[in-house]
């Protein structure tokens, strides 16, 4: 073969590789409002930063006519590149090649990128758009998934892992994203389910559309499997770049510190008016977050799911913090099964990646009821206690209005592990609310009174003043400082600054046994 012929072969093979399943299938992909695997990589990475791995692999399997369906690259594009100058590894499944189905070599491409991400301490991002296990490759395909799941698990807590679902993700394929830290979904594009609508109809008789079963809204509002929901692929990919700017590349690094133009001693007088006089009246805790942390820096995680607790990342004087905040606007901010799961998993992510946790507390307790008890609120609530006690990152709590019972311990107890606890002047800290407490401990006195209703009110007030007052807890050392809401931003920053560089060790063990 002459050099010229070798070059012609190079050009022809390269063009075939770059075209994936060919022009017609690329057009079909675009018609569905979807980008191709390579276009997605182009939108995600810094310009011209992509280096491809295993570029020309083809299936080794020849069964069921696979010898005639060999596409260089085998239906997935993988390698490394940069996002805002920082290295990441990624894979992007190509639906135009055999429906993006996962065969042996396709899996090797993904797993190699995962392992190299781990070796180099770089985040791993997978873009999924696939019909699942390549049916023609049978157990080779199942083995491929096993490799990926294992690499996901080994990477967990070492490098951030993000799954972007931009098409179907069905059957056992869903478990790789489920092991990763964050799942992104796009409305009317993404689908995740173990068994699709047809199987469900055959087995249970239920009729449901793909979108209602496993679309972005189903997984952000109902199941809680997905963390972020978008209207378009472009919006999703741009957001992924932003999210990474809050995170370190691996568990040995601290998150990047960004330049802060918002003065850290900026007064927050608006927070004086945030709390309604009436303890039961709702307000939006996000107002406090938006006032106290760096302007426009808050990124809410799982905003649609378990809305009674708000979690997300923000910056404080340019430093990344993880916020966990009770949300009085939803179910009076009570902690239930889903809120406990959501907060516990978020805290564990923060702890894995050296992100300090700020807890904003206004919680009446854990949700009573048989559905919660029989659903395992004991086990689920325990996850949050476990996550906080286990975490070694700086943990700061601000008691905004009320902190009652076990929920107070989870959100703000120094002896559970919070390093610093602040409280607003009207904060109430107690085993339970004043009404409930008065009914129990003053029952006989109230019943014996000439006017039981008036007596009850008197006892409630007495309990509030004598027991719930933040200076009682401060007197025991459980609250470090009572602060003026107008100084919230400054007080939170000073608290964070006190604990930056904190190191804490734990007894040597293989791993704890979190109540799952
Ligand atoms: C091989 C597949 C495939 C698969 C799709 N294709 N899925 N090839 N293995 N799993 C091929 C199709 O044959 C077709 O090829 C091309 O991809 C496009 O598929 P279409 O069906 O034409 O596309 P569309 O109508 O958009 O439907 C997409 C789809 C559907 C919803 C994903 O293809 C589908 O239901 N596929 C099967 C999904 C599934 O049940 N997968 C197995 C899940 S079990 P041609 O050449 O005809 O155009 C699983 C177990 C994993 O994954 C366990 C891991 C632990």
């Amino acid at each position: 073969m002459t050099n010229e012929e070798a070059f012609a072969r190079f050009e022809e093979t390269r063009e075939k590789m770059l075209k994936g399943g060919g022009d017609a299938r690329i057009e079909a992909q675009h018609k569905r409002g979807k980008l191709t695997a390579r276009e997605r990589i182009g939108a995600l990475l810094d310009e011209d930063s992509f280096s491809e791995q295993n570029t020309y692999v083809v299936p080794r399997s020849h069964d069921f006519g696979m010898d005639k369906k060999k596409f260089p690259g085998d239906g997935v594009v993988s390698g490394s590149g940069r996002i805002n100058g920082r290295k990441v590894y990624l894979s992007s499944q190509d639906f135009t090649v055999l429906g993006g189905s996962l065969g042996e070599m396709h899996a090797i491409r993904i797993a190699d990128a995962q392992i190299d991400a781990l070796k180099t301490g770089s985040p791993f991002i997978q873009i999924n758009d696939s019909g699942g296990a390549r049916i023609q490759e049978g157990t080779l395909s199942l083995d491929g998934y096993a490799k990926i799941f294992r690499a996901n698990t080994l990477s967990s807590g070492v490098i951030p892992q993000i799954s972007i679902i931009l098409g179907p993700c069905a059957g056992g394929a869903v478990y790789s994203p489920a092991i990763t830290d964050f799942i992104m979904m796009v409305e009317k594009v993404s689908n995740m389910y173990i068994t699709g609508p047809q199987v469900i109809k055959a087995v249970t008789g239920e009729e449901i559309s793909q979108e209602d079963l496993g679309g972005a809204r189903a997984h952000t509002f109902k199941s809680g499997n997905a963390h972020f929901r978008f209207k378009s692929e472009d919006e999703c990919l741009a957001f992924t770049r932003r999210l990474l700017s809050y995170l370190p590349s691996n568990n040995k690094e601290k998150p990047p510190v960004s330049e802060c133009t918002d003065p850290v001693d900026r007064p927050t007088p608006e927070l004086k008016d945030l709390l309604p006089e009436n303890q039961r009246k709702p307000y939006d805790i996000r107002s406090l977050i938006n006032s106290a942390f760096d302007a426009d820096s808050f990124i809410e995680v799982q905003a649609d799911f378990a809305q009674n607790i708000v979690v997300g990342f923000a910056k404080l004087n340019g430093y990344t913090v993880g916020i966990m905040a009770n949300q009085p606007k939803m179910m009076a901010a009570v902690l239930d099964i889903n809120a406990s799961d959501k907060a516990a998993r978020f805290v564990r992510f923060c702890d894995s990646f050296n992100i300090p946790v700020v807890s904003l507390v206004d919680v009446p307790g854990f949700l009573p009821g048989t559905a919660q008890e029989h659903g395992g609120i004991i086990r689920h609530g325990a996850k949050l206690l476990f996550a906080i006690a286990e975490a070694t990152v700086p943990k700061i709590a601000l008691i905004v209005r009320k902190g009652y019972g076990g929920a107070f311990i989870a959100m703000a107890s120094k002896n559970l592990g919070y390093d610093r606890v602040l409280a607003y002047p009207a904060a109430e800290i107690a085993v339970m609310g004043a009404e409930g407490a008065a009914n129990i401990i003053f029952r006989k006195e109230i019943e014996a009174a000439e006017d039981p209703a008036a007596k009850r009110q008197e006892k409630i007030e007495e309990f509030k003043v004598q027991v719930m007052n933040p200076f009682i807890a401060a007197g025991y050392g459980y609250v470090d400082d009572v602060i003026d809401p107008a100084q919230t931003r400054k007080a939170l920053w000073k608290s964070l600054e006190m604990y930056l560089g904190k190191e804490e060790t734990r007894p040597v063990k293989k791993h704890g046994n979190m109540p799952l």
Side-chain angles (χ1 to χ4, degrees):
M1 182 178 266
T2 61
N3 277 352
E4 203 175 315
E5 283 165 339
F7 201 81
R9 181 183 60 186
F10 160 69
E11 294 228 300
E12 188 192 330
T13 314
R14 185 162 177 76
E15 197 185 322
K16 191 167 181 222
M17 178 271 293
L18 290 172
K19 281 259 166 85
D23 288 331
R25 286 178 193 261
I26 290 176
E27 205 185 316
Q29 180 87 344
H30 286 159
K31 271 200 179 141
R32 290 178 164 185
K34 293 164 71 177
L35 300 172
T36 65
R38 286 180 190 280
E39 286 166 348
R40 287 166 176 164
I41 290 177
L44 184 62
L45 295 182
D46 295 350
E47 205 178 339
D48 203 23
S49 69
F50 183 50
S51 300
E52 192 160 350
Q53 290 176 293
N54 292 321
T55 314
Y56 293 99
V57 296
V58 285
R60 292 196 297 178
S61 164
H62 289 175
D63 298 337
F64 304 104
M66 282 299 289
D67 49 335
K68 295 183 191 67
K69 290 190 174 175
K70 288 187 189 293
F71 293 86
D74 203 25
V76 64
V77 184
S78 62
S80 89
R82 296 198 174 262
I83 291 185
N84 300 319
R86 294 161 71 211
K87 186 159 67 189
V88 298
Y89 277 77
L90 79 170
S91 64
S92 177
Q93 291 181 310
D94 184 351
F95 191 80
T96 68
V97 173
L98 299 165
S101 58
L102 184 141
E104 179 197 27
M105 301 309 284
H106 178 124
I108 285 175
R109 286 197 78 169
I110 298 175
D112 277 359
Q114 290 180 280
I115 296 299
D116 288 350
L118 196 53
K119 281 183 196 161
T120 58
S122 320
F124 175 70
I125 303 164
Q126 58 179 351
I127 302 178
N128 292 43
D129 186 1
S130 165
R134 186 173 297 156
I135 295 160
Q136 298 90 328
E137 293 198 43
T139 50
L140 286 176
S141 160
L142 296 183
D143 180 66
Y145 275 116
K147 279 193 183 79
I148 294 169
F149 298 167
R150 184 158 189 270
N152 284 135
T153 306
L154 297 181
S155 302
S156 182
V158 183
I159 50 172
Q161 298 181 86
I162 298 175
S163 299
I164 305 177
I165 314 298
L166 296 179
C169 181
V174 297
Y175 287 118
S176 169
I179 300 171
T180 64
D181 299 305
F182 298 110
I183 297 181
M184 322 271 182
M185 294 184 81
V186 174
E187 285 178 22
K188 300 192 179 79
V189 168
S190 320
N191 274 292
M192 293 181 84
Y193 40 74
I194 300 279
T195 54
Q198 287 164 354
V199 176
I200 291 185
K201 189 168 179 209
V203 175
T204 70
E206 279 173 285
E207 287 196 36
I208 187 158
S209 69
Q210 278 210 28
E211 190 66 17
D212 288 346
L213 176 66
R217 296 184 80 83
H219 285 305
T220 49
F221 281 94
K222 290 185 183 162
S223 71
N225 288 330
H227 301 78
F228 300 102
R229 174 172 56 84
F230 304 94
K231 295 246 181 283
S232 72
E233 293 200 12
D234 284 333
E235 194 191 327
C236 171
L237 296 168
F239 174 81
T240 305
R241 290 174 60 88
R242 179 168 179 230
L243 176 63
L244 281 169
S245 73
Y246 285 66
L247 310 181
S249 292
N250 57 62
N251 64 341
K252 291 193 198 125
E253 291 180 5
K254 298 257 191 272
V257 181
S258 49
E259 197 192 331
C260 179
T261 50
D262 190 357
V264 79
D265 55 358
R266 168 173 55 77
T268 49
E270 61 281 7
L271 294 179
K272 280 194 151 156
D273 303 324
L274 176 71
L275 295 183
E277 276 298 330
N278 179 349
Q279 279 283 346
R280 289 165 180 266
K281 232 175 153 189
Y283 63 94
D284 190 345
I285 194 69
R286 283 175 293 213
S287 310
L288 191 157
I289 296 172
N290 290 328
S291 289
F293 295 86
D294 295 356
D296 302 321
S297 71
F298 184 52
I299 288 184
E300 190 167 349
V301 176
Q302 285 190 300
D304 300 331
F305 182 69
Q307 294 177 27
N308 37 335
I309 197 150
V310 170
V311 301
F313 303 108
K315 297 269 183 175
L316 188 53
N317 200 20
Y319 286 79
T320 301
V321 293
I323 298 171
M324 165 175 83
N326 304 120
Q327 173 57 293
K329 221 179 105 176
M330 185 59 70
M331 295 165 63
V334 74
L335 283 180
D336 63 352
I337 289 171
N338 288 342
S340 304
D341 282 5
K342 172 176 162 179
R345 184 154 166 84
F346 180 72
V347 167
R348 290 196 108 202
F349 177 85
C350 292
D351 189 45
S352 298
F353 293 105
N354 310 314
I355 298 172
V357 172
V358 178
S359 166
L360 302 175
V361 188
D362 190 350
V363 65
F366 283 98
L367 179 62
T370 40
Q372 289 288 311
E373 293 290 347
H374 294 171
I377 183 72
I378 295 175
R379 181 175 81 246
H380 292 276
K383 289 180 204 185
L384 183 52
L385 297 164
F386 194 108
I388 292 291
E390 174 192 57
T392 56
V393 287
K395 286 166 285 182
I396 292 150
L398 168 62
I399 305 164
V400 176
R401 189 163 61 168
K402 55 182 172 291
Y404 298 159
F408 160 76
I409 299 174
M411 298 297 298
S413 166
K414 285 185 97 174
N415 276 318
L416 189 70
Y418 286 91
D419 298 294
R420 185 164 167 83
V421 178
L422 306 174
Y424 277 173
E428 295 184 344
I429 304 155
V431 170
M432 60 169 67
E435 283 88 351
N439 284 344
I440 296 170
I441 58 176
F442 302 120
R443 184 169 58 88
K444 288 189 184 130
E445 215 176 317
I446 291 170
E447 281 171 2
E450 236 172 71
D451 182 348
K455 189 72 178 172
R456 187 166 172 271
Q457 203 48 46
E458 180 195 315
K459 288 292 171 192
I460 288 171
E461 289 308 317
E462 189 182 315
F463 188 83
K464 278 188 181 171
V465 172
Q466 286 186 11
V467 179
M468 295 178 136
N469 164 359
F471 289 102
I472 307 276
Y476 294 133
Y478 300 152
V479 167
D480 290 289
D481 209 352
V482 180
I483 65 162
D484 178 348
Q487 297 300 320
T488 305
R489 176 170 167 79
K490 189 172 165 188
L492 286 175
W493 163 244
K494 285 190 148 192
S495 302
L496 178 66
E497 198 183 21
M498 272 177 90
Y499 288 93
L500 286 175
K502 171 196 168 192
E503 281 185 22
E504 212 173 278
T505 51
R506 292 282 180 263
V508 175
K509 55 180 150 179
K510 196 168 169 193
H511 54 70
N513 187 12
M514 185 180 219
L516 297 172

